Amino acid sequence: AQRVTQPEKLLSVFKGAPVELKCNYSYSGSPELFWYVQYSRQRLQLLLRHISRESIKGFTADLNKGETSFHLKKPFAQEEDSAMYYCAPPGRSARQLTFGSGTQLTVLP
Amino acid sequence: DVKVTQSSRYLVKRTGEKVFLECVQDMDHENMFWYRQDPGLGLRLIYFSYDVKMKEKGDIPEGYSVSREKKERFSLILESASTNQTSMYLCASSLGSPENYGYTFGSGTRLTVV
């Protein structure tokens, strides 16, 4: 079965500090991975996807196939980045995504 | 700008009741999904559908069923609600393979079973 692990349930950083949200996955093949974000009282939305290699809201994520990781990074955290973040690789088939347990990021002033 | 609509934001039901959660998307997406979201457990897939009248079990289908009679509507049914089904339920849709297109989510239905 495909697995995805987000080891940190809670993460707090100060404004302006770098932030890294960890994601490790098990997947055979070349995965397409996503990060989703849920801000307070908003719906879950796509933050970024590996294949596009975009930087959205200053976040980037590099796929490390050797370590099977897809960590989300931002060099300077902002208070508005406080949210729940989910890593999502493919599930048992390409027809579904599997979500990690999520990391609640709090950026302190 | 709302594209995936879940009919109820909050629901309170009694144990043993039959519960219907409705989801409608206006983007002509092929694939639709039902997840439940629980603290510490993330999102877990209940059922999904890749075409009208087609459905596949997800990771936790027990106690649930689904219906997709029209492309735009995907219903989740709790045949006999139990307290352990108290959760946030999220509907999502995808144009094609989620691996390529990702999901668009609804705003969720918070169900409480008492």
Side-chain angles (χ1 to χ4, degrees):
Chain A
Q2 314 304 339
R3 291 194 313 274
V4 55
T5 303
Q6 293 182 249
E8 305 131 331
K9 289 188 176 178
L10 302 171
L11 182 63
S12 295
V13 300
F14 286 101
K15 177 182 174 181
V19 62
E20 180 179 71
L21 291 87
K22 293 184 169 56
C23 172
N24 292 92
Y25 65 91
S26 67
Y27 187 77
S28 56
S30 296
E32 172 60 76
L33 291 116
F34 300 83
W35 276 96
Y36 282 81
V37 61
Q38 189 169 30
Y39 301 102
S40 179
R41 289 186 289 276
Q42 294 187 28
R43 63 183 66 197
L44 203 58
Q45 58 187 286
L46 178 65
L47 178 63
L48 63 78
R49 51 186 298 187
H50 161 247
I51 196 170
S52 65
R53 300 193 180 278
E54 290 178 309
S55 175
I56 298 176
K57 298 187 179 183
F59 284 97
T60 58
D62 290 322
L63 176 61
N64 186 322
K65 291 184 179 180
E67 296 180 358
T68 60
S69 68
F70 189 54
H71 302 328
L72 184 69
K73 300 177 184 179
K74 185 170 183 177
F76 307 102
Q78 303 298 316
E79 289 182 68
E80 56 265 30
D81 296 328
S82 295
M84 178 70 86
Y85 291 80
Y86 293 96
C87 178
R92 285 179 286 143
S93 74
R95 285 179 166 165
Q96 58 183 271
L97 297 180
T98 296
F99 288 82
S101 55
T103 297
Q104 178 68 51
L105 173 67
T106 301
V107 180
L108 303 166
Chain B
D1 188 42
V2 173
K3 294 180 169 57
V4 178
T5 304
Q6 294 184 233
S7 55
S8 303
R9 188 76 177 102
Y10 299 95
L11 275 179
V12 180
K13 297 292 182 181
R14 295 194 181 278
T15 301
E17 276 193 79
K18 190 170 186 176
V19 181
F20 293 86
L21 302 183
E22 305 288 345
C23 176
V24 176
Q25 51 94 3
D26 63 359
M27 298 169 288
D28 202 35
H29 283 180
E30 299 170 0
N31 304 304
M32 297 187 74
F33 306 81
W34 276 106
Y35 285 85
R36 62 178 284 176
Q37 182 182 29
D38 298 289
L41 297 177
L43 277 71
R44 292 178 291 167
L45 182 63
I46 305 171
Y47 267 97
F48 65 102
S49 168
Y50 51 89
D51 202 352
V52 175
K53 297 191 185 296
M54 304 298 288
K55 61 184 180 183
E56 283 197 28
K57 293 180 179 179
D59 299 317
I60 53 164
E62 296 78 18
Y64 304 94
S65 62
V66 290
S67 172
R68 194 166 181 201
E69 296 295 319
K70 294 184 177 181
K71 190 176 185 180
E72 66 270 19
R73 186 180 297 271
F74 192 36
S75 302
L76 179 68
I77 304 156
L78 286 67
E79 297 291 343
S80 178
S82 64
T83 54
N84 63 11
Q85 292 178 309
T86 291
S87 186
M88 173 68 87
Y89 290 86
L90 298 180
C91 176
S93 69
S94 176
L95 175 61
S97 166
E99 188 179 47
N100 295 321
Y101 294 92
Y103 290 154
T104 300
F105 280 94
S107 55
T109 296
R110 184 166 294 282
L111 173 67
T112 302
V113 182
V114 297

